[in-house]
Amino acid sequence: MYRTNTCGELRLCNAGQQVTLSGWVQKARKMGGMTFIDLRDRYGITQLVVDGGASSELVELASSVGREWVLQVVGTVVERQSKNPKMETGEIEISVSEIKVLNKANTPPFTIEDESDGGEELRAKYRYLDLRRNPLQKALKLRHQIAHQVRNFLNDQNFLEIETPYLIKSTPEGARDFVVPSRMNPGQFYALPQSPQTFKQLLMVAGYDRYFQIVRCFRDEDLRADRQPEFTQIDCEMAFVEQEDVLNTFEDLMRTLFKNVLNVDIPASIPRMSWYDAMDYYGSDKPDIRFDMRICEITSLVQGFGFSVFDSVEYVGAINVTGGASYTRKQTDELTEWVKRPQVGAKGLVYIKYNEDGSIKSSIDKFYTPEQLQVVLSKAGAQKGDMLLVLCGAKRKTQNMLGVLRIEMGNRLGLRDPFNFAPLWVVDFPLVEWDDETGRFYAMHHPFTAPKPEHLELFYSDKKEDLERVCANAYDFVLNGTELGGGSIRIHEAEMQQRMFEVLGISKEDAEYKFGFIINAFKFGAPPHGGLAFGFDRICALFGGQETIRDYIAFPKNNQGRDVMIDSPSKIDDTQMEELFLESTFNENQLK
Amino acid sequence: MYRTNTCGELRLCNAGQQVTLSGWVQKARKMGGMTFIDLRDRYGITQLVVDGGASSELVELASSVGREWVLQVVGTVVERQSKNPKMETGEIEISVSEIKVLNKANTPPFTIEDESDGGEELRAKYRYLDLRRNPLQKALKLRHQIAHQVRNFLNDQNFLEIETPYLIKSTPEGARDFVVPSRMNPGQFYALPQSPQTFKQLLMVAGYDRYFQIVRCFRDEDLRADRQPEFTQIDCEMAFVEQEDVLNTFEDLMRTLFKNVLNVDIPASIPRMSWYDAMDYYGSDKPDIRFDMRICEITSLVQGFGFSVFDSVEYVGAINVTGGASYTRKQTDELTEWVKRPQVGAKGLVYIKYNEDGSIKSSIDKFYTPEQLQVVLSKAGAQKGDMLLVLCGAKRKTQNMLGVLRIEMGNRLGLRDPFNFAPLWVVDFPLVEWDDETGRFYAMHHPFTAPKPEHLELFYSDKKEDLERVCANAYDFVLNGTELGGGSIRIHEAEMQQRMFEVLGISKEDAEYKFGFIINAFKFGAPPHGGLAFGFDRICALFGGQETIRDYIAFPKNNQGRDVMIDSPSKIDDTQMEELFLESTFNENQLK
């Protein structure tokens, strides 16, 4: 062992002990005849001191060390003259008698501090140096702790962690698969799993009852911000359960995580909201309920007064900005520009201010009397000093824009403290949604989600409008406006599964080819079952008070799906291509 | 919830309680006017009884249920008249008042019993039914328990579980990589990791100190028996440690596993054996030390007496078969045939029997006097009644054959009880081994293993014979003749790593292209570090008393790397190929 203690461990009560420490030089400085070195490891920082009375070799060596050198030092713990209350080891220092340089270090390309001076690209290239920084060490430690707590909780609840294969079968329904050519089966490919969905259902058929797995999943999507081609799920499934059982089990899990990891108490019962209410009142299937500011439909209150913009649309809705009456013209103009950006896509923004003196000022004053506007203000619950922001257009699209505007106003008003945690279940999702472009239904959750028993008649109807009304016992766990997980009660009957594929326009042959094994499995005694999956990376990020997941993954990829540290993906040898019976049709010039 | 209790839970003390159970029909039978149904779930089997006094609907339903149907039943716990002491629930049965068929089942293609009547291929195709069998349920539960114990132990020891990426870079050194074409980076490929070796070393450079991960690894090898293209490792690495620290830490881990999972005590200190001794005395780098029967070199004792077979070879060695003198001619002939099979490859077998009456009988009697043979017997420690089996040829090759023969004799003599656990560390491996075919050195462990500090001079020598003598601080954990894990102290200096690549005949350019990131990382303050990886599948199998890993993996692949249940690998859509800029050069006719 290269050390007797870590750099985060020694306290005043250790004074007088001879110790050996190993670690990295955080910084070194000379003061008078003394050299001070801050030695760092995963556990903390301890100050070393080499005083003028030491041998000249030692003094020389101490003054030669550079940032990030790796040292082993022997010395005695002594009480500091000037204590540093900000450091956990700040009451002591090590009076050094021996230094051994375990490894020298080039000067790092950026500072290894809480706030680094390195740009994102540079830090990605030297990820192993970036990972030395405190915020990242804390992030990965948090990740470990959460995983450990999850496993302990689920183990205590009789769940078994069962590993499912990574080399599976390509089933191009949903996102794009990564594929893996098989050398032993030439011309054929495995696929990497987008989730272990079918395998966990087969485990239920196999009688395993309570399954979980913290498992990597893969999606070959064009990467939007904060998406990774590989990501980790907490994947769970239970047999002989109804929706209520699943929700209760995983509420308990989340409650335990919040308590044991963050020492935060979340409500004894997490609120539930139907998907329809979420869309109507928050313009989002993942409402941030840390603040109210619900969307209020005012269509009937503003139509028929001759304002053609409102008269011609399906829907008019408003949010109430508390204290917004004091916004200047410049501010409302800026907000108007903000909603007109392509990311939001509104055509314009109407405001209605309810001034402190009771007067009303709006951008539609010439079309409405104050009395007519007063009705709108009342409906939206505006108080004196508030301001309504109004958008109009097609219903869901407008609600969605209002939802985006609501989040923006929440940010601007400081209503979105990352350490205020407001969990929510969104329930009663539609089973399928129609896509105009391809002229078919898509599964809202996935093709294995069961319709609600009370909607079975609609499910077997041939009418599009009936199918659109079918709801599922599907549920999402939402935290602070982010979907952290979701699941459903599954289909467990072969015949119903076949009907689902039919609804989705998947031919019998195609369904048989892609999902034959699971339809077949359902014929041999499948129990009722359901489950869910949490996005583990995102749980870690939110628990850490961050919105982006990248710092909670040890070795993430960039937006082009590249690992710039190892420079991957890369070309492979011709012999590898030949063994796989593959040729690339890609011509580099195509890119130029 | 579909049940109040599981099928393994109810006891006499529950008599009188009304309960609801759900599960599968193990079997149903009629006796007199009564119908008995054994209802099974993961937790056990409970007997249901529908007596003649029940409603005719219930009686009819009960008598119509088939094997593997899924039922939900309501009834009362009653004391059995004829108790079954072999069943944990054997003192009670459920007097059924209600049955609900949750799902019917086709007749399973094989019996769901401890010993199934289904062939391997059939059971693989219906893996979800095979997984219902008790031995497999126990195997996967054992696997879960071991993983859980590993995680708890390592967490308690301050190890962090850190996930490393699955989409990495192809580095064709060692086994063949599975590769993954990148759509976003056309013409380029990721590789699936054979192990997270370089990443865990980078985590040490990054200061994480104690890392572990239970992680999937991938090797595109031609599959020998009991190899899987994807397998699971317990992967560990520590910084600021020497070999002794690593061995102690993981001895403690294994001791904890044996105790907590199997309630078995293994020695307080696990024996250690050098690689050279393992080869010399056991003809194997993974000796089974449950029994002695060590290989004894007798070259000098048998050469020079005119027996040209022995005189012309490098090496003559023997093993002593206790009680073997009673072997008949037929038995020794059969053994001779056995060693001559291509799997062993010996040219012949010499025996020397030391009869109970003190006489000596051998197959080389005409070349040696009894006195000369007596010297051999004494050297090999043979007692009256024993028999030596002798092989000769090139040294290592012959030792290897003797090792194989030793294992066979151990099996025949019943010396290899799977529940007698004899762990062993094999240490002091050579750093590199020469391959005549390619005319270059290969790393015995892997290219990141450090030479022993006392062998550094040899390591920098240009002479082949010097390099062959370099030893590494590398170690394998061996249990009952199976290598369960291995590791080493790593190189942590860029210059030494470059020298290692040079020794391995990897050009500077090639090393830079493939491993540049790690050589570079070593320049920024790499700590001394080392670690090891255990084969998790194999640990599970051995803990379960089995030699093959297949039943300890939920969804294994067959010897062609195929998952016959989901029929994978398979062809992918043309559009997928086009998006990946790939064409297959494989012509189906090539196979015909």
Side-chain angles (χ1 to χ4, degrees):
Chain A
M1 206 58 104
Y2 282 77
R3 59 188 173 197
T4 57
N5 297 81
T6 70
C7 296
E9 191 176 359
L10 297 166
R11 300 285 182 277
L12 201 49
C13 61
N14 303 104
Q17 289 177 12
Q18 166 141 326
V19 296
T20 306
L21 300 184
S22 290
W24 287 263
V25 174
Q26 180 69 28
K27 62 181 179 204
R29 62 205 180 283
K30 297 195 96 164
M31 273 178 69
M34 324 247 274
T35 308
F36 293 94
I37 298 173
D38 280 355
L39 196 68
R40 184 195 73 230
D41 65 14
R42 180 185 131 194
Y43 310 92
I45 289 180
T46 296
Q47 178 166 291
L48 314 177
V49 58
V50 176
D51 64 38
S55 74
S56 60
E57 289 88 352
L58 185 60
V59 171
E60 200 173 318
L61 182 54
S63 57
S64 74
V65 305
R67 268 166 55 206
E68 302 304 320
W69 284 32
V70 188
L71 305 184
Q72 182 184 38
V73 301
V74 179
T76 307
V77 183
V78 296
E79 183 171 0
R80 278 208 212 181
Q81 300 229 303
S82 56
K83 299 195 172 53
N84 181 347
K86 286 184 199 155
M87 286 174 71
E88 293 196 69
T89 63
E91 294 195 308
I92 57 98
E93 60 194 7
I94 310 297
S95 173
V96 173
S97 58
E98 257 181 84
I99 294 181
K100 186 173 172 191
V101 176
L102 296 175
N103 221 339
K104 294 188 179 182
N106 291 353
T107 305
F110 48 84
T111 53
I112 314 290
E113 304 277 357
D114 285 8
E115 296 288 332
S116 174
D117 61 357
E120 198 167 318
E121 187 74 10
L122 191 67
R123 285 187 290 116
K125 184 169 179 206
Y126 295 91
R127 182 71 174 179
Y128 46 87
L129 297 180
D130 203 22
L131 283 171
R132 286 184 186 166
R133 296 194 304 117
N134 233 332
L136 276 84
Q137 299 240 350
K138 277 169 75 174
L140 293 191
K141 191 172 171 196
L142 179 72
R143 186 179 176 108
H144 164 79
Q145 285 171 329
I146 295 175
H148 197 66
Q149 290 288 337
V150 168
R151 287 194 164 97
N152 281 340
F153 176 88
L154 293 173
N155 179 70
D156 290 346
Q157 303 284 322
N158 255 323
F159 281 77
L160 296 178
E161 184 160 25
I162 300 176
E163 294 172 62
T164 53
Y166 281 120
L167 296 173
I168 65 163
K169 185 172 177 165
S170 189
T171 52
E173 172 71 20
R176 217 183 264 106
D177 287 322
F178 281 105
V179 296
V180 182
S182 167
R183 182 182 54 84
M184 292 176 75
N185 302 273
Q188 301 186 7
F189 292 75
Y190 302 99
L192 299 177
Q194 297 183 28
S195 87
Q197 182 64 34
T198 48
F199 288 97
K200 70 175 173 177
Q201 293 193 245
L202 290 173
L203 286 171
M204 294 305 108
V205 175
Y208 286 78
D209 210 73
R210 293 182 160 217
Y211 143 94
F212 84 101
Q213 192 182 186
I214 300 186
V215 63
R216 203 70 53 84
C217 301
F218 304 86
R219 271 179 214 168
D220 185 13
E221 290 173 324
D222 295 317
L223 299 172
R224 283 181 280 154
D226 214 32
R227 285 278 184 116
Q228 290 281 320
E230 49 177 315
F231 55 96
T232 302
Q233 278 188 356
I234 306 170
D235 192 49
C236 308
E237 196 79 5
M238 306 168 78
F240 301 118
V241 290
E242 291 159 307
Q243 168 169 308
E244 197 60 29
D245 307 311
V246 179
L247 298 192
N248 287 337
T249 303
F250 293 99
E251 268 191 47
D252 284 349
L253 168 65
M254 292 308 294
R255 192 171 299 109
T256 304
L257 288 186
F258 273 106
K259 188 67 192 174
N260 292 0
V261 177
L262 297 179
N263 196 26
V264 162
D265 293 296
I266 59 169
S269 180
I270 293 178
R272 299 184 191 180
M273 188 187 295
S274 81
W275 180 86
Y276 292 95
D277 282 354
M279 298 303 286
D280 284 350
Y281 298 126
Y282 297 89
S284 167
D285 56 5
K286 35 182 190 284
D288 183 348
I289 58 167
R290 280 175 296 185
F291 62 107
D292 196 25
M293 206 190 284
R294 285 159 51 123
I295 296 168
C296 176
E297 174 166 10
I298 54 169
T299 317
S300 64
L301 305 183
V302 295
Q303 286 186 336
F305 298 103
F307 182 43
S308 66
V309 172
F310 284 173
D311 285 350
S312 63
V313 295
E314 181 190 7
Y315 174 94
V316 187
I319 56 173
N320 179 39
V321 180
T322 306
S326 62
Y327 273 46
T328 62
R329 176 63 187 260
K330 194 175 159 200
Q331 282 176 301
T332 53
D333 282 354
E334 187 270 329
L335 272 180
T336 305
E337 289 313 306
W338 192 89
V339 298
K340 284 164 85 175
R341 296 179 319 142
Q343 295 92 321
V344 187
K347 294 212 178 98
L349 178 70
V350 165
Y351 67 85
I352 308 174
K353 290 181 185 170
Y354 192 9
N355 293 319
E356 289 287 0
D357 63 6
S359 66
I360 296 172
K361 170 84 187 101
S362 82
S363 50
I364 49 173
D365 280 348
K366 57 178 152 173
F367 300 99
Y368 296 91
T369 66
E371 291 70 28
Q372 288 163 348
L373 293 178
Q374 184 64 57
V375 174
V376 173
L377 288 170
S378 297
K379 174 79 185 292
Q383 306 291 316
K384 283 177 189 170
D386 294 351
M387 167 177 68
L388 296 191
L389 297 175
V390 181
L391 294 176
C392 67
K395 180 178 170 186
R396 288 287 180 231
K397 205 174 153 191
T398 306
Q399 287 173 337
N400 186 264
M401 291 176 189
L402 281 164
V404 173
L405 178 59
R406 176 181 173 273
I407 293 295
E408 173 68 13
M409 296 314 295
N411 285 334
R412 292 185 184 200
L413 297 172
L415 303 173
R416 305 188 73 219
D417 172 6
F419 291 104
N420 171 19
F421 296 100
L424 171 73
W425 287 111
V426 175
V427 296
D428 297 341
F429 280 76
L431 182 70
V432 290
E433 56 183 344
W434 182 260
D435 181 58
D436 275 328
E437 206 172 306
T438 52
R440 53 162 280 201
F441 278 112
Y442 282 86
M444 191 103 172
H445 192 64
H446 57 50
F448 307 105
T449 295
K452 274 180 185 281
E454 58 268 36
H455 289 184
L456 274 185
E457 204 171 318
L458 294 172
F459 179 62
Y460 282 96
S461 158
D462 286 334
K463 295 193 190 124
K464 178 169 165 244
E465 56 274 25
D466 284 345
L467 287 164
E468 280 180 319
R469 283 164 54 213
V470 179
C471 275
N473 277 329
Y475 31 81
D476 274 357
F477 185 89
V478 173
L479 182 68
N480 295 1
T482 297
E483 180 207 322
L484 282 192
S488 62
I489 298 300
R490 325 297 186 186
I491 297 171
H492 66 282
E493 289 160 334
E495 187 257 351
M496 192 185 288
Q497 187 65 64
Q498 258 156 346
R499 167 63 185 160
M500 183 66 181
F501 288 133
E502 188 183 287
V503 168
L504 299 176
I506 300 173
S507 75
K508 211 158 180 172
E509 296 67 39
D510 226 26
E512 178 57 36
Y513 179 71
K514 290 173 188 161
F515 301 109
F517 61 98
I518 195 157
I519 297 175
N520 211 30
F522 286 169
K523 294 177 183 161
F524 288 96
H529 61 287
L532 88 181
F534 288 103
F536 181 53
D537 307 300
R538 216 158 283 283
I539 287 181
C540 296
L542 261 68
F543 270 58
Q546 301 293 321
E547 291 216 329
T548 62
I549 60 177
R550 199 164 289 179
D551 282 352
Y552 292 82
I553 297 172
F555 299 101
K557 295 187 174 55
N558 72 9
N559 281 340
Q560 285 76 51
R562 296 197 67 84
D563 182 329
V564 296
M565 177 187 72
I566 62 173
D567 192 23
S568 165
S570 59
K571 287 195 182 161
I572 58 174
D573 289 356
D574 290 344
T575 53
Q576 281 176 288
M577 292 292 278
E578 281 161 27
E579 283 186 330
L580 297 171
F581 292 92
L582 285 181
E583 255 172 25
S584 176
T585 63
F586 178 70
N587 180 344
E588 308 256 341
N589 296 321
Q590 288 174 273
L591 280 188
K592 285 166 190 165
Chain B
M1 206 59 102
Y2 283 77
R3 59 189 174 199
T4 56
N5 296 82
T6 71
C7 296
E9 192 176 359
L10 296 167
R11 299 286 183 275
L12 201 50
C13 61
N14 302 105
Q17 289 176 13
Q18 165 141 327
V19 296
T20 305
L21 300 184
S22 291
W24 287 262
V25 174
Q26 180 69 28
K27 62 180 177 209
R29 62 203 179 284
K30 296 195 98 168
M31 274 177 70
M34 324 246 275
T35 307
F36 293 94
I37 298 172
D38 280 357
L39 196 69
R40 185 195 71 230
D41 66 14
R42 183 185 129 194
Y43 309 92
I45 288 180
T46 296
Q47 177 167 293
L48 314 177
V49 57
V50 176
D51 63 38
S55 73
S56 58
E57 289 89 353
L58 185 60
V59 170
E60 199 173 320
L61 182 55
S63 56
S64 74
V65 305
R67 269 166 54 207
E68 302 303 321
W69 284 32
V70 188
L71 305 184
Q72 182 184 38
V73 300
V74 179
T76 309
V77 183
V78 295
E79 183 170 359
R80 275 208 215 182
Q81 300 229 302
S82 56
K83 299 196 172 54
N84 181 347
K86 287 184 197 153
M87 286 175 71
E88 293 196 68
T89 62
E91 294 196 305
I92 56 98
E93 61 193 6
I94 309 296
S95 173
V96 174
S97 57
E98 257 182 84
I99 295 182
K100 187 175 173 190
V101 176
L102 296 175
N103 222 338
K104 294 187 180 183
N106 290 354
T107 305
F110 49 83
T111 53
I112 313 290
E113 306 276 357
D114 285 9
E115 296 289 333
S116 174
D117 60 357
E120 199 167 317
E121 187 75 9
L122 190 66
R123 284 187 290 116
K125 185 167 176 209
Y126 295 92
R127 183 71 174 178
Y128 47 86
L129 297 181
D130 204 22
L131 283 170
R132 286 185 187 165
R133 295 194 306 116
N134 233 331
L136 276 85
Q137 298 242 349
K138 277 169 74 176
L140 293 191
K141 191 172 170 195
L142 179 73
R143 186 179 176 108
H144 164 79
Q145 285 171 330
I146 295 174
H148 196 68
Q149 290 288 336
V150 168
R151 287 195 164 98
N152 281 340
F153 176 89
L154 293 173
N155 180 69
D156 289 347
Q157 302 285 322
N158 254 325
F159 281 77
L160 297 179
E161 184 160 24
I162 300 177
E163 294 170 63
T164 54
Y166 281 121
L167 296 173
I168 66 163
K169 184 172 178 165
S170 190
T171 52
E173 172 70 19
R176 217 181 265 107
D177 287 322
F178 281 104
V179 295
V180 181
S182 166
R183 181 182 54 86
M184 290 176 76
N185 301 273
Q188 301 187 9
F189 292 75
Y190 303 99
L192 300 177
Q194 296 183 28
S195 85
Q197 182 64 33
T198 47
F199 288 97
K200 70 176 173 176
Q201 292 192 247
L202 290 173
L203 286 171
M204 294 305 107
V205 175
Y208 286 79
D209 210 75
R210 293 182 160 216
Y211 143 94
F212 85 102
Q213 191 183 188
I214 300 186
V215 62
R216 203 71 52 85
C217 301
F218 304 85
R219 271 178 215 167
D220 185 13
E221 289 174 325
D222 296 316
L223 299 172
R224 284 182 281 153
D226 215 32
R227 286 277 185 117
Q228 289 280 321
E230 48 177 315
F231 55 97
T232 303
Q233 278 187 357
I234 305 169
D235 192 51
C236 309
E237 197 79 5
M238 305 168 78
F240 302 118
V241 289
E242 291 158 309
Q243 170 169 306
E244 198 60 27
D245 307 311
V246 179
L247 297 193
N248 287 337
T249 303
F250 293 99
E251 270 191 44
D252 285 347
L253 168 64
M254 291 309 293
R255 191 171 300 111
T256 304
L257 287 186
F258 272 106
K259 190 67 192 169
N260 291 0
V261 178
L262 297 178
N263 197 24
V264 162
D265 293 297
I266 59 168
S269 181
I270 293 178
R272 299 183 190 181
M273 188 186 296
S274 82
W275 180 87
Y276 291 95
D277 283 353
M279 297 304 284
D280 285 348
Y281 299 125
Y282 297 89
S284 167
D285 56 4
K286 38 182 187 286
D288 183 348
I289 58 166
R290 278 174 297 184
F291 62 107
D292 196 24
M293 208 191 285
R294 283 158 53 124
I295 296 168
C296 175
E297 174 166 11
I298 54 170
T299 318
S300 64
L301 305 183
V302 294
Q303 285 185 339
F305 298 103
F307 181 44
S308 65
V309 173
F310 284 172
D311 285 350
S312 63
V313 295
E314 182 191 5
Y315 174 92
V316 187
I319 56 173
N320 178 38
V321 180
T322 306
S326 61
Y327 272 47
T328 62
R329 176 64 186 264
K330 195 176 157 201
Q331 283 177 299
T332 53
D333 282 355
E334 187 270 330
L335 272 180
T336 306
E337 289 312 307
W338 193 88
V339 298
K340 285 163 85 174
R341 296 179 319 142
Q343 295 92 322
V344 187
K347 292 211 179 99
L349 177 70
V350 165
Y351 68 84
I352 308 174
K353 291 183 185 170
Y354 193 7
N355 293 320
E356 290 288 1
D357 63 7
S359 68
I360 296 171
K361 172 81 187 106
S362 83
S363 50
I364 48 175
D365 280 349
K366 56 179 152 172
F367 301 100
Y368 297 92
T369 66
E371 291 71 27
Q372 288 163 347
L373 294 177
Q374 184 63 57
V375 175
V376 173
L377 288 169
S378 298
K379 173 81 185 294
Q383 306 292 315
K384 284 178 188 167
D386 293 353
M387 169 176 68
L388 296 192
L389 296 176
V390 182
L391 294 175
C392 68
K395 180 179 170 187
R396 287 285 181 233
K397 206 175 152 190
T398 306
Q399 288 173 336
N400 186 264
M401 290 176 190
L402 281 164
V404 174
L405 179 60
R406 176 181 175 273
I407 293 295
E408 174 67 13
M409 296 313 295
N411 284 335
R412 292 186 183 202
L413 297 172
L415 303 173
R416 306 187 73 219
D417 171 7
F419 290 103
N420 172 19
F421 297 101
L424 171 74
W425 287 110
V426 176
V427 296
D428 296 342
F429 280 75
L431 182 70
V432 291
E433 56 184 343
W434 183 260
D435 180 58
D436 275 329
E437 206 171 307
T438 51
R440 54 162 279 202
F441 279 111
Y442 283 86
M444 190 103 172
H445 192 64
H446 57 50
F448 307 104
T449 295
K452 275 181 184 280
E454 57 268 37
H455 289 184
L456 273 186
E457 205 171 313
L458 294 172
F459 179 64
Y460 282 95
S461 161
D462 286 334
K463 295 194 190 122
K464 178 170 163 242
E465 56 274 26
D466 285 344
L467 286 165
E468 280 178 320
R469 284 165 52 212
V470 179
C471 277
N473 277 330
Y475 31 81
D476 275 356
F477 184 88
V478 173
L479 181 68
N480 295 1
T482 296
E483 181 207 321
L484 282 192
S488 61
I489 298 299
R490 326 296 187 186
I491 297 170
H492 67 281
E493 287 161 333
E495 188 258 350
M496 191 185 288
Q497 187 63 63
Q498 258 156 348
R499 168 61 186 162
M500 183 66 180
F501 288 132
E502 187 182 288
V503 168
L504 299 177
I506 300 174
S507 74
K508 211 160 179 169
E509 295 68 35
D510 226 26
E512 178 58 34
Y513 178 71
K514 290 174 189 163
F515 302 108
F517 60 98
I518 195 158
I519 298 174
N520 209 31
F522 286 168
K523 295 177 183 161
F524 288 97
H529 62 287
L532 90 179
F534 288 103
F536 182 54
D537 307 299
R538 217 159 283 284
I539 288 182
C540 295
L542 262 70
F543 270 57
Q546 301 292 323
E547 292 217 328
T548 60
I549 60 176
R550 201 163 289 180
D551 282 352
Y552 292 82
I553 297 172
F555 299 100
K557 295 189 175 54
N558 72 8
N559 281 341
Q560 285 76 50
R562 296 196 67 82
D563 182 329
V564 296
M565 178 186 70
I566 62 171
D567 191 25
S568 163
S570 59
K571 288 197 180 158
I572 58 174
D573 289 357
D574 290 344
T575 52
Q576 282 177 289
M577 292 292 280
E578 281 161 28
E579 283 185 331
L580 297 169
F581 292 92
L582 286 182
E583 257 173 23
S584 176
T585 64
F586 179 69
N587 180 343
E588 308 257 340
N589 296 322
Q590 286 175 273
L591 280 188
K592 286 168 190 168

